[in-house]
Amino acid sequence: MNDTPACPHSATTPESAPELFTWEFASDPYPAYAWLREHRPVHRTALPSGVEAWLVTRYGDARQALADARLSKNPANHAESPHAKGKTGIPGERKAELMTHLLNIDPPDHTRLRRLVSKAFTPRRVAEFAPRVQELADRLIDGFIEEGEADLIHDFAFPLPIYAICDLLGVPREDQGDFRDWAGMMIRHGGGPRGGVARSVKKMRGYLAELIHRKRENPGDDLISGLIRASDHGEHLTENEAAAMAFILLFAGFETTVNLIGNGTYALLRHPEQRARLEASLEASPVPGESALLATGLEELLRFDGPVEMATWRYATEPLTLGGEEIAAGDPVLVVLAAADRDPERFRDPDTLDLARSDNQHLGYGHGIHYCLGAPLARLEGQTALATLLRRLPDLRFAAEPADLRWRGGLIMRGLRTLPVEFEPGNRSEKSDAQSTL
């Protein structure tokens, strides 16, 4: 059962497209995306920044676009003026000289960098990190469990991935508060004025450059040290490439997980029968905090209301046809993952949340050569966070009307500003140490 409120555009006629990028649209974009899928599956529109781009909304077209080599990730291929170019990509990355990362380059440079980064960002490293993620989840809940209320975004979903990725990168504990502040600025203002975001990104760039220099002199068993050591046929990442890669791992690795935890919890609270199934599965599992339904359930939550609404920017390098529309060379293309993952041509009952859905090749982590390198870490953090919340806060409930919650306005990401909840006050975990830092 899907109890999402009806969208005011639901009665829109085929002659007029629904209005996009309003606050009402941000609260529930899915009816508008359904209209576009049916009537204008590849739709040219003006974005809030003033830049015009093509929105791709059907699953088949989206999958094709994500793997099409004619759609470049390099912003240099945008045909617009330098002023317009500055309105695409990640806020602040240009001024901070952080452009040379995997989201902004094409083969052969992309192939080289991804191969080098993959040597450092291994499944083994992620698997070994599981106890630390569990420790973080428990400590964060310990910080508010005695109060009987919390804002799950501010108190849990936001700090968990920040501290986790900082630990993984090798940022010293005493410096992680700065990263939390910089990341908070990027989340709060990523969809609006870019001045504060640019300053935060610049500070982060300066810190990463200094940290990389220190780790060249004294490497450890962390991801930044791994990036520095990684080589392929004698080729290493340059210092700028290492800083850009550390930045994108942080940027892509925290906000997506914030939204995955926030959106996932919101969906479970809105669908109590699905939540009850998951709780029963976790209780019956021989391994605490694990179950087959948790694994399929996280993928379904990614499909149903995922953390990334649109894939990052692509630019046509030559004229091409997509979904029956002629795309000119230099035109920006945005693949709407949120729309593609609810395409009834690909998913049965796409507006229904079914945690046991088996045929679920969603596009939440992308597709093709730009498939998310951090997907294993996101799955680990998402599963750990949701299982720990359900285990330790079994009577978790909304502390505000769901219709009154506000979603952050933005283009790429989809997430709640706040998620106030209530629960019966509980006890801190036995392992908790009030004097310990996260």
Side-chain angles (χ1 to χ4, degrees):
M1 176 180 177
N2 178 17
D3 59 355
T4 304
C7 175
H9 300 304
S10 58
T12 307
T13 62
E15 288 74 26
S16 60
E19 188 175 3
L20 307 178
F21 311 120
T22 64
W23 288 113
E24 293 78 12
F25 169 83
S27 297
D28 181 15
Y30 296 104
Y33 287 148
W35 190 96
L36 289 177
R37 273 196 314 267
E38 182 177 356
H39 301 290
R40 297 181 192 172
V42 178
H43 175 59
R44 186 177 176 91
T45 188
L47 306 176
S49 64
V51 174
E52 290 198 351
W54 294 93
L55 304 183
V56 181
T57 55
R58 286 181 181 168
Y59 182 91
D61 295 333
R63 192 175 168 91
Q64 173 190 334
L66 290 172
D68 195 326
R70 297 171 298 175
L71 292 174
S72 168
K73 297 292 292 172
N74 190 340
N77 288 307
H78 188 186
E80 295 297 323
S81 66
H83 176 69
K85 290 179 191 288
K87 295 181 179 181
T88 66
I90 298 171
E93 64 180 354
R94 294 171 188 272
K95 292 183 179 179
E97 298 180 344
L98 289 169
M99 295 288 290
T100 54
H101 56 70
L102 291 175
L103 295 184
N104 280 343
I105 56 175
D106 304 315
D109 287 336
H110 176 273
T111 307
R112 177 183 68 87
L113 283 184
R114 187 170 180 112
R115 188 166 55 231
L116 285 169
V117 173
S118 296
K119 291 176 180 291
F121 199 73
T122 62
R124 178 188 62 81
R125 186 186 294 273
V126 172
E128 291 174 348
F129 199 54
R132 175 57 177 161
V133 176
Q134 184 63 65
E135 179 190 7
L136 284 169
D138 279 319
R139 287 190 183 279
L140 289 168
I141 291 175
D142 286 340
F144 58 76
I145 194 170
E146 295 174 339
E147 302 298 322
E149 60 182 13
D151 172 5
L152 277 189
I153 302 299
H154 181 270
D155 298 326
F156 187 71
F158 175 72
L160 175 59
I162 277 291
Y163 291 130
I165 197 67
C166 280
D167 278 354
L168 195 64
L169 287 170
V171 177
R173 299 282 173 88
E174 61 269 20
D175 295 339
Q176 292 184 6
D178 289 335
F179 269 80
R180 179 171 176 164
D181 291 342
W182 297 331
M185 176 64 73
M186 294 169 73
I187 276 194
R188 288 192 298 273
H189 301 293
R194 297 189 166 209
V197 178
R199 285 190 294 272
S200 293
V201 173
K202 188 174 182 180
K203 290 177 182 177
M204 192 180 295
R205 168 66 175 89
Y207 178 87
L208 287 172
E210 180 185 344
L211 184 62
I212 288 168
H213 180 73
R214 295 205 308 264
K215 289 187 180 293
R216 284 193 189 278
E217 301 295 324
N218 186 25
D221 187 29
D222 53 75
L223 187 52
I224 288 181
S225 297
L227 290 173
I228 294 169
R229 285 192 295 264
S231 64
D232 188 47
H233 303 295
E235 198 170 19
H236 292 75
L237 290 170
T238 67
E239 188 160 304
N240 274 344
E241 287 171 342
M245 287 309 309
F247 165 74
I248 200 60
L249 287 170
L250 178 70
F251 179 84
F254 89 86
E255 188 171 4
T256 52
T257 309
V258 173
N259 295 346
L260 173 58
I261 297 170
N263 297 6
T265 305
Y266 175 84
L268 291 175
L269 292 176
R270 295 294 300 270
H271 297 81
E273 75 292 345
Q274 293 294 314
R275 172 186 172 180
R277 290 178 67 191
L278 181 54
E279 288 175 331
S281 176
L282 289 168
E283 289 175 3
S285 174
V287 180
E290 295 183 14
S291 75
L293 192 62
L294 178 63
T296 60
L298 186 78
E299 302 307 308
E300 174 68 347
L301 292 169
L302 275 160
R303 182 202 69 81
F304 182 75
D305 197 9
V308 183
E309 188 162 345
M310 299 187 189
T312 48
W313 296 81
R314 284 167 167 78
Y315 312 90
T317 57
E318 61 183 76
L320 59 97
T321 302
L322 186 60
E325 297 289 346
E326 300 299 320
I327 311 295
D331 279 0
V333 174
L334 289 166
V335 177
V336 187
L337 306 178
D341 280 343
R342 292 220 191 174
D343 189 341
E345 293 296 316
R346 175 59 186 83
F347 300 100
R348 182 178 179 180
D349 299 325
D351 295 322
T352 297
L353 181 68
D354 178 8
L355 299 184
R357 189 184 295 269
S358 57
D359 182 17
N360 194 1
Q361 294 183 350
H362 63 77
L363 300 176
Y365 292 124
H367 172 65
I369 65 171
H370 291 282
Y371 183 84
C372 178
L373 190 68
L377 179 61
R379 287 188 172 104
L380 169 64
E381 292 178 337
Q383 290 183 18
T384 302
L386 293 175
T388 307
L389 282 172
L390 294 177
R391 172 174 55 84
R392 299 197 56 191
L393 306 175
D395 60 338
L396 188 69
R397 56 192 181 271
F398 285 117
E401 289 296 324
D404 293 336
L405 298 180
R406 292 293 173 261
W407 298 76
R408 290 192 302 274
L411 194 64
I412 302 298
M413 301 292 183
R414 172 166 171 76
L416 287 160
R417 290 177 176 270
T418 62
L419 181 52
V421 294
E422 297 174 335
F423 44 86
E424 291 302 313
N427 297 319
R428 295 163 60 88
S429 63
E430 294 180 2
K431 295 181 181 179
S432 179
D433 179 355
Q435 301 305 313
S436 297
T437 62
L438 288 172

